[in-house]
Amino acid sequence: MLKQTVFQGILERGMVGIVRADSPEAAVQIAEACIAGGVTALEVAFTTPDTLGVLRTLRERHGQDVLLGAGTVLDPETARAAILAGAQFIISPGVNVDTIAVCQRYQVLAMPGAMTPTEIVTALQAGADIVKVFPAEMFGPAYIKALRAPLPHAPLMPTGGVTVENLGEWFANGAIAVGIGGSLSGPGAKGDYAAVTSRAREFVAQMAAVRK
């Protein structure tokens, strides 16, 4: 799938669900629960055991129907391994220009994490496609609006603290998409995958309302 198509797919969905688990089996279950609820852009965090195996499993099961990325990617070696396992986008907690370069080499979306204007500009200059504003809960939706004033061209995806209740605020303040972690997949840590699916449906419904 072309990078531009993946970028457009994330814009259309408006959200990336974060999958993080203590075992690969649980990660796959959480991902499947999210997909069942309609959240079809997913980041599998590299804090999960056998992340590469999880990526391969999900790619084999869902093909191009699910946008699949790797998260918590700290270096270019990990990025390349994830890309070879089927990741279509690479998300990092910080800015590593070598990781961004690998993504550009393979025409995969680079989505580094940044918080300050300096970090965001550094990421964009290095070739970032979307900047993950993290940890967004430290300042809230108003911070996105503040960043957009001097950086109206920056494609920002706040991650951290996004809930069904405040979803619309992030977009009203200039986000192009959001990353959703515990408020979506949290029940999966206790094996309650039905609750993950229910929450996914709530997010999808609220996103439709926000888009109206």
Side-chain angles (χ1 to χ4, degrees):
M1 186 180 291
L2 293 175
K3 181 172 77 168
Q4 295 91 334
T5 304
V6 177
F7 182 86
Q8 189 60 37
I10 289 176
L11 291 185
E12 290 172 356
R13 290 164 173 80
M15 53 188 168
V16 175
I18 301 168
V19 176
R20 193 186 306 273
D22 293 330
S23 72
E25 294 79 13
V28 171
Q29 291 268 43
I30 291 170
E32 294 289 3
C34 289
I35 294 166
V39 175
T40 55
L42 298 174
E43 162 200 341
V44 182
F46 257 96
T47 51
T48 300
D50 192 21
T51 299
L52 296 177
V54 175
L55 289 169
R56 293 190 191 98
T57 296
L58 294 173
R59 176 60 65 225
E60 290 170 2
R61 289 185 182 180
H62 298 283
Q64 301 302 318
D65 293 332
V66 173
L67 299 181
L68 192 60
T72 323
V73 177
L74 304 180
D75 51 64
E77 294 81 9
T78 304
R80 183 175 184 274
I83 292 166
L84 294 177
Q88 297 162 307
F89 53 90
I90 298 296
I91 300 181
S92 305
V95 180
N96 181 298
V97 296
D98 293 330
T99 297
I100 295 171
V102 166
C103 292
Q104 297 300 344
R105 181 181 305 152
Y106 289 99
Q107 288 297 284
V108 167
L109 287 183
M111 302 165 66
M115 195 64 187
T116 68
T118 298
E119 292 172 342
I120 292 169
V121 171
T122 298
L124 293 174
Q125 287 177 333
D129 299 290
I130 295 173
V131 178
K132 165 187 169 180
V133 179
F134 174 81
E137 69 263 35
M138 300 303 295
F139 295 99
Y143 186 60
I144 303 301
K145 183 177 181 179
L147 289 171
R148 294 277 295 179
L151 302 171
H153 60 287
L156 304 178
M157 185 180 79
T159 301
V162 178
T163 66
V164 170
E165 291 75 20
N166 68 21
L167 185 65
E169 296 179 48
W170 297 101
F171 288 93
N173 282 280
I176 67 163
V178 294
I180 308 172
S183 60
L184 169 64
S185 59
K190 299 179 180 180
D192 190 352
Y193 305 117
V196 175
T197 296
S198 178
R199 290 191 181 187
R201 289 178 178 142
E202 291 176 5
F203 271 107
V204 171
Q206 185 62 18
M207 182 63 71
V210 168
R211 290 288 169 81
K212 288 182 180 179

